[in-house]
Amino acid sequence: MGNYNFDEIIPRRETGSAKWGYFDEDVLPLWVADMDFRLPQEIIDALKTRAEHGLFGYEFGSETLKTTIVERLSRLYNWTITPEDIMLLPGVIPGLSMAVKAFSKAGNKALIQTPVYFPFYNVTTEQGVGHNLAPLTLNDNDGLLHYTIDEAAFEAKIDFKTDIFILCNPHNPVGRVWTRDELTAMADACLKHDTLIISDEIHSDLIFDDYAHIPIASLSPEVSAKTITLMATSKSFNMPGLGAAYAIITDAGLREKFSAALWSIGAHAYTMGLVGTLAAYQHGDAWLKEALTYMQANRDFTADFLRKELPQVKFTCPEGTYLMWLDFRALNIEKIGDFLLEKARVSLNDGAWFGEDGVGFARINLACPRSTLEQALLRIRDAVQAL
């Protein structure tokens, strides 16, 4: 037995939760990517202490926080940065938006690997930046899905208007933790064509089995000088509501342009997010280790259930993230998300949200108590069997 109770059912409907409050009360929500787990007490206590101070003005973030981030990246990834390389943000999506604003322009294009986290489309389209899509290669091993990169096809998608590549590492929704060889191939292609890398690494702490996260900017000084890395505690320590993330930009010129984009809209990290981030990095590793063990067991439970009870549904076995990608295409249902909501009373993210390559798929969130997960899977099985 561990020190934390991840089986606890914590009511969330009355808290304004987007995940739990969007649908009717009889719907089980396993869609929005946040956890249903209570944070470690050390983080809660740090937030209480800061609240009792009673003043909440604008903050730049403490040197202690930046030093802690520097030490953590060195320890986990052997990646050497300085406190000056860190820029604090209100969230990763605002960071993505500001990076697109700073380093691309209307009429140019972003390289995106599909299926992928849907805000990648939003932050580009809304600024007039188009897309060059480099679909991931889907491999099916007797129902177990695994995505890889076609390196030649990836580079072929970089044309003279492709000034940015938005990378998702680990990848949402397919759960890949990209290898050093895969990252090197992507980085080399971007360096060759002078394409800036914007790397969303928000799930970097959420790694299963013996896989290892490698920040793409850590590959070499040359890659680092052409990369904007975005990280946060919001996924790994379940704090998206607190409002904090950070960009790591080692090139001073890129930092200056990014900073100008942030100041143009007054974007800044929020007090409680900064407090929570520091407390998580100082005191949260034991909790995170147990949470990963629990979510990995949820992953394996789901895989076993699908093999036995729903062999028509293929799936990924995520190497990272707490998100599993389910292939319902064999059922020939036009809108799988609507079907699951109406017939199973379970909310998953419809794969179409992630691009055309996601049509017929759905994304399920495994970061919940086992009893919630099991109930949702049973409902899905019964709805499918009733077809």
Side-chain angles (χ1 to χ4, degrees), residues 102-105 108-111 154-155 157-166 185-198 222-228 251 254 257:
F103 303 111
S104 190
K105 62 182 180 180
N108 282 7
K109 294 181 180 179
L111 179 63
F154 175 88
E155 183 172 356
K157 289 292 184 177
I158 305 177
D159 60 23
F160 72 98
K161 284 194 171 184
T162 311
D163 49 11
I164 56 174
F165 163 46
I166 307 180
M186 291 186 281
D188 286 349
C190 289
L191 291 179
K192 178 179 176 181
H193 296 277
D194 196 28
T195 297
L196 183 77
I197 302 168
I198 304 169
E222 294 77 17
V223 177
S224 182
K226 292 289 291 183
T227 300
I228 311 296
D251 181 83
L254 296 182
K257 289 183 179 180

Side-chain angles (χ1 to χ4, degrees), residues 179-241:
T179 66
R180 184 173 297 277
D181 287 346
E182 289 170 322
L183 292 169
T184 298
M186 291 186 281
D188 286 349
C190 289
L191 291 179
K192 178 179 176 181
H193 296 277
D194 196 28
T195 297
L196 183 77
I197 302 168
I198 304 169
S199 187
D200 174 357
E201 304 192 11
I202 196 171
H203 294 275
S204 58
D205 287 321
L206 300 169
I207 308 297
F208 297 131
D209 302 310
D210 295 324
Y211 295 99
H213 175 72
I214 302 171
I216 193 168
S218 71
L219 293 177
S220 71
E222 294 77 17
V223 177
S224 182
K226 292 289 291 183
T227 300
I228 311 296
T229 303
L230 300 168
M231 292 181 162
T233 53
S234 51
K235 298 301 180 186
S236 47
F237 292 96
N238 200 36
M239 298 190 290

Side-chain angles (χ1 to χ4, degrees), residues 8 23 32 65 97 110 146 187 241 283 295 354:
E8 179 185 9
F23 297 103
V32 172
L65 173 57
S97 181
H146 183 75
H283 307 293
M295 291 185 290
F354 303 86

Side-chain angles (χ1 to χ4, degrees), residues 45-350:
D45 289 344
L47 295 170
K48 286 181 177 178
T49 298
R50 183 63 183 85
E52 289 170 355
H53 181 262
L55 291 173
F56 304 95
Y58 296 110
E59 295 191 25
F60 291 110
S62 68
E63 286 304 310
T64 300
L65 173 57
K66 291 189 175 183
T67 300
T68 299
I69 292 171
V70 169
E71 293 172 347
R72 183 179 182 84
L73 297 180
S74 176
R75 172 169 53 86
L76 293 180
Y77 312 123
N78 195 30
W79 184 19
T80 301
I81 65 166
T82 69
E84 291 72 30
D85 298 332
I86 300 168
M87 303 192 69
L88 300 172
L89 310 168
V92 164
I93 294 176
L96 286 170
S97 181
M98 291 303 97
V100 173
K101 179 178 180 179
F103 303 111
S104 190
K105 62 182 180 180
N108 282 7
K109 294 181 180 179
L111 179 63
I112 298 175
Q113 295 169 296
T114 58
V116 76
Y117 184 46
F118 47 89
F120 283 21
Y121 303 101
N122 300 341
V123 299
T124 47
T125 300
E126 290 173 2
Q127 300 186 60
V129 176
H131 308 124
N132 278 345
L133 303 181
L136 299 173
T137 301
L138 176 57
N139 305 279
D140 182 352
N141 181 16
D142 195 25
L144 180 62
L145 305 181
H146 183 75
Y147 284 82
T148 55
I149 297 167
D150 183 327
E151 296 175 7
F154 175 88
E155 183 172 356
K157 289 292 184 177
I158 305 177
D159 60 23
F160 72 98
K161 284 194 171 184
T162 311
D163 49 11
I164 56 174
F165 163 46
I166 307 180
L167 171 66
C168 198
N169 180 34
H171 192 281
N172 171 11
V174 308
R176 279 300 317 279
V177 174
W178 302 118
T179 66
R180 184 173 297 277
D181 287 346
E182 289 170 322
L183 292 169
T184 298
M186 291 186 281
D188 286 349
C190 289
L191 291 179
K192 178 179 176 181
H193 296 277
D194 196 28
T195 297
L196 183 77
I197 302 168
I198 304 169
S199 187
D200 174 357
E201 304 192 11
I202 196 171
H203 294 275
S204 58
D205 287 321
L206 300 169
I207 308 297
F208 297 131
D209 302 310
D210 295 324
Y211 295 99
H213 175 72
I214 302 171
I216 193 168
S218 71
L219 293 177
S220 71
E222 294 77 17
V223 177
S224 182
K226 292 289 291 183
T227 300
I228 311 296
T229 303
L230 300 168
M231 292 181 162
T233 53
S234 51
K235 298 301 180 186
S236 47
F237 292 96
N238 200 36
M239 298 190 290
L242 294 182
Y246 53 94
I248 301 166
I249 310 173
T250 60
D251 181 83
L254 296 182
R255 246 189 345 265
E256 183 177 353
K257 289 183 179 180
F258 188 80
S259 178
L262 290 178
W263 280 107
S264 72
I265 63 165
H268 59 88
Y270 297 104
T271 298
M272 289 308 199
L274 298 174
V275 171
T277 297
L278 179 59
Y281 285 162
Q282 289 181 329
H283 307 293
D285 282 346
W287 179 91
L288 179 60
K289 183 178 180 180
E290 288 192 25
L292 284 169
T293 298
Y294 189 91
M295 291 185 290
Q296 182 170 318
N298 273 357
R299 179 200 67 180
D300 297 342
F301 174 83
T302 303
D304 289 342
F305 182 95
L306 293 173
R307 288 190 186 99
K308 295 174 183 176
E309 304 290 340
L310 281 171
Q312 314 97 308
V313 179
K314 302 175 183 181
F315 56 91
T316 60
C317 187
E319 301 163 355
T321 82
Y322 48 72
L323 308 164
M324 184 178 276
W325 189 234
L326 310 180
D327 181 359
F328 289 91
R329 289 177 297 173
L331 302 180
N332 293 315
I333 296 172
E334 184 176 354
K335 294 183 178 180
I336 189 62
D338 290 348
F339 168 81
L340 295 173
L341 182 61
E342 294 167 8
K343 302 300 183 182
R345 306 306 284 164
V346 173
S347 172
L348 306 185
N349 289 104
D350 192 301

